Amino acid sequence: MEELTERQREILTFIVKESENRGFPPTIREIGEHMDIRSTNGVNDHLKALERKGYLTRGEQQSRSLVPTKRARLLLGLGMKSKDSGMVEIPLLGRVAAGAPALAQEHMEDSVKIDSFLLGGVNGREVFALRVKGQSMIDDGIHDGDYLFVKKTPSAQPGEIVVALIEDEATVKRYYPETDRIRFQPANATMQPIYVNRTDFRSTMILGQVVGVYRKLQGGRT
Amino acid sequence: MEELTERQREILTFIVKESENRGFPPTIREIGEHMDIRSTNGVNDHLKALERKGYLTRGEQQSRSLVPTKRARLLLGLGMKSKDSGMVEIPLLGRVAAGAPALAQEHMEDSVKIDSFLLGGVNGREVFALRVKGQSMIDDGIHDGDYLFVKKTPSAQPGEIVVALIEDEATVKRYYPETDRIRFQPANATMQPIYVNRTDFRSTMILGQVVGVYRKLQGGRT
DNA sequence: ATGCTTCCTGAACATACGTGTAGAGTCAAT
DNA sequence: ATTGACTCTACACGTATGTTCAGGAAGCAT
């Protein structure tokens, strides 16, 4: 793990303390004021460094979206609050049917909490969950009714399992870009791949990348 | 104390939840989006009411400066306990190798927390977790490296997936009692079942029944 | 009827805020 | 010698965000 410089640690401490004392994180300019840094970019350099070293997560174009990571709390010797450490709450979308699923809205009525360890280091805030419908990925061990944990991302690496919006349906497939089209490959010997021409392809079609699968097993049913 | 209207309470709840989940409060527009209020002023009316009634403090001209008061937490019945409710901590045994696994000891060094909802109502205290070794259950969608959540029980129903101690090895198989022997059936076409004579069968051989499977997926590897 | 609160639309405005570019100085490592 | 982290200034730009004004509809008490 990369070490922090004195200045970076000071800023990280300030962010943590402000978050606790005021209830929300500071802005870049507030940090600059406290640290006697006249230029917002001076502060930004530090924030970038903290993010790169894994002590801070940021949102793009979002004010005050500075959230220290677990590692940051450990470094600063601030004991985590009880058993809550490492848990994230994931919005649970029902069995996604037709139409653009409510990714934008994300009503929190239903949610699942999960150990962030099981997400393999992915930031829990960019993950949603949904239930699988159908057998199209059975050869990859993804069954009907399974819970999928999906990292929101508009792109994917070839061969990765993604959730994509195809013909207004959210479906789970493997992603294979080819020269002039995209192949969405089911993992089921009885099913054919779906092809989408690059010209028809919008980045919004890929909703995210599957990072985890959970299946309830009880009473012996598969 | 002035009461809150339904709508005001909804917004207050949203602010509290967002603060906890994301680490910072929402903006007026984010609230509007979630509540289906198109006008920022519509939201502002509610915020003014919440402030007037003493459930919220705000800063002037400051983004995201929405901090619920103690009274708000009381009203919502959140005793400062945050997201931990409904969580259970499950001891995680390493890849169980040979010999009686440390069920008795249950070194807690490693553990996973999981939403009890995902255990399907099984009491978390009688559950342990372990990682799968081998491909013997691949046709049931249980792969090498998967995490199994196992309910400790000495018995099982026919056909259920169990963790059993066979020849000093902990293995995952389906459980089929036959007239004078027990058949432990792998879910892999290339593998043969294991038979145990009833006379040799001790109840301690069944460690538990599999109630959940989790698989990390990342970078496209299966 | 007349007000009052709640709940909302729509639009406009000022500023708070994140981001990018173009530098520059220090210091340690190669 | 050069490269690269770290630290910072100064300035500009776009947009994210809070605030305010001008209403309107529904319900409810006086």
Side-chain angles (χ1 to χ4, degrees):
Chain A
M1 175 42 48
E2 270 197 277
E3 295 296 327
L4 291 188
T5 66
E6 181 58 30
R7 209 71 174 132
Q8 288 164 3
R9 178 193 295 253
E10 280 177 41
I11 289 183
L12 185 58
T13 306
F14 179 66
I15 294 172
V16 171
K17 285 204 159 185
E18 283 287 293
S19 297
E20 284 181 358
N21 293 337
R22 292 209 299 171
F24 48 89
T27 65
I28 288 186
R29 282 175 178 80
E30 284 169 358
I31 297 172
E33 208 172 320
H34 180 261
M35 304 290 298
D36 284 319
I37 299 176
R38 254 157 287 241
S39 169
T40 53
N41 189 46
V43 177
N44 215 9
D45 283 346
H46 292 305
L47 296 182
K48 281 178 183 165
L50 285 170
E51 197 180 9
R52 173 168 49 81
K53 295 181 178 178
Y55 290 89
L56 193 66
T57 65
R58 311 179 63 183
E60 279 185 21
Q61 295 281 345
Q62 285 190 104
S63 64
R64 305 180 187 275
S65 59
L66 307 170
V67 181
T69 62
K70 269 172 290 177
R71 180 177 299 147
R73 304 195 72 84
L74 286 176
L75 178 80
L76 300 179
L78 305 171
M80 315 231 194
K81 339 165 193 174
S82 77
K83 308 175 258 183
D84 204 13
S85 58
M87 297 306 306
V88 289
E89 188 165 7
I90 306 293
L92 176 58
L93 285 54
R95 297 211 176 197
V96 181
L103 273 185
Q105 320 177 30
E106 270 171 23
H107 298 273
M108 277 287 208
E109 320 98 10
D110 255 346
S111 67
V112 185
K113 276 159 277 190
I114 187 172
D115 197 318
S116 61
F117 158 72
L118 292 175
L119 297 180
V122 176
N123 186 335
R125 291 193 195 83
E126 45 187 13
V127 177
F128 63 94
L130 53 82
R131 297 195 71 183
V132 173
K133 195 177 53 173
Q135 306 283 346
S136 69
M137 295 299 283
I138 195 123
D139 293 343
D140 277 339
I142 297 178
H143 295 216
D144 189 43
D146 286 3
Y147 295 85
L148 289 190
F149 295 88
V150 186
K151 176 190 177 186
K152 291 182 218 167
T153 166
S155 61
Q157 297 300 309
E160 281 179 351
I161 301 177
V162 300
V163 176
L165 204 58
I166 302 175
E167 288 166 11
D168 280 348
E169 274 265 0
T171 54
V172 187
K173 294 284 179 298
R174 281 186 179 270
Y175 169 80
Y176 289 102
E178 299 182 349
T179 48
D180 54 350
R181 61 185 184 182
I182 314 286
R183 173 161 56 95
F184 289 102
Q185 181 71 47
N188 184 327
T190 70
M191 297 178 77
Q192 296 304 315
I194 297 176
Y195 295 99
V196 175
N197 287 330
R198 275 204 187 277
T199 51
D200 301 334
F201 183 77
R202 292 161 300 147
S203 65
T204 58
M205 293 184 60
I206 291 190
L207 299 179
Q209 168 194 354
V210 178
V211 295
V213 187
Y214 186 84
R215 174 158 64 260
K216 281 188 186 183
L217 283 178
Q218 245 150 165
R221 58 182 162 78
T222 318
Chain B
M1 176 45 43
E2 270 199 277
E3 293 296 327
L4 292 187
T5 67
E6 181 57 30
R7 209 70 175 129
Q8 287 163 4
R9 178 195 292 256
E10 280 177 40
I11 288 183
L12 185 58
T13 305
F14 179 66
I15 294 172
V16 171
K17 277 206 159 191
E18 282 288 292
S19 297
E20 284 182 359
N21 290 335
R22 294 211 299 172
F24 47 90
T27 65
I28 287 185
R29 281 174 180 81
E30 283 169 359
I31 297 172
E33 209 172 318
H34 180 261
M35 304 291 298
D36 286 318
I37 299 175
R38 257 160 287 255
S39 170
T40 53
N41 187 46
V43 177
N44 215 9
D45 284 347
H46 292 305
L47 296 182
K48 280 178 184 165
L50 285 170
E51 198 179 7
R52 173 168 48 80
K53 295 181 180 177
Y55 291 89
L56 193 65
T57 65
R58 310 178 65 184
E60 279 184 19
Q61 296 279 348
Q62 284 189 110
S63 63
R64 304 179 188 276
S65 58
L66 306 171
V67 182
T69 61
K70 267 173 282 183
R71 179 178 299 148
R73 304 197 70 85
L74 286 177
L75 177 80
L76 300 178
L78 305 172
M80 305 295 262
K81 61 173 177 241
S82 75
K83 314 175 243 185
D84 215 12
S85 58
M87 298 302 307
V88 289
E89 188 163 8
I90 306 294
L92 175 58
L93 285 54
R95 297 211 174 198
V96 182
L103 273 185
Q105 322 175 29
E106 273 172 20
H107 301 270
M108 275 287 211
E109 323 98 11
D110 258 345
S111 68
V112 185
K113 273 160 285 194
I114 187 172
D115 197 319
S116 58
F117 157 73
L118 291 175
L119 297 179
V122 175
N123 186 335
R125 269 168 299 199
E126 46 185 13
V127 176
F128 63 94
L130 55 81
R131 296 196 71 182
V132 173
K133 195 178 54 173
Q135 306 284 346
S136 69
M137 294 301 282
I138 195 125
D139 292 343
D140 277 340
I142 297 177
H143 294 216
D144 188 43
D146 286 2
Y147 295 85
L148 290 189
F149 295 88
V150 185
K151 176 188 177 187
K152 293 180 216 169
T153 166
S155 63
Q157 296 301 308
E160 280 179 352
I161 299 177
V162 300
V163 176
L165 203 59
I166 303 174
E167 289 168 9
D168 280 349
E169 275 262 1
T171 55
V172 187
K173 294 286 180 296
R174 280 185 179 272
Y175 169 80
Y176 290 102
E178 299 182 348
T179 49
D180 55 349
R181 59 184 184 182
I182 314 290
R183 173 161 56 94
F184 289 102
Q185 181 72 46
N188 183 325
T190 70
M191 297 177 77
Q192 298 303 315
I194 297 175
Y195 296 100
V196 175
N197 288 327
R198 275 206 188 276
T199 50
D200 301 334
F201 183 77
R202 292 161 299 148
S203 67
T204 59
M205 292 184 63
I206 291 190
L207 299 180
Q209 168 195 355
V210 178
V211 294
V213 187
Y214 186 85
R215 175 159 63 258
K216 282 189 186 180
L217 283 178
Q218 244 150 167
R221 57 183 163 78
T222 319

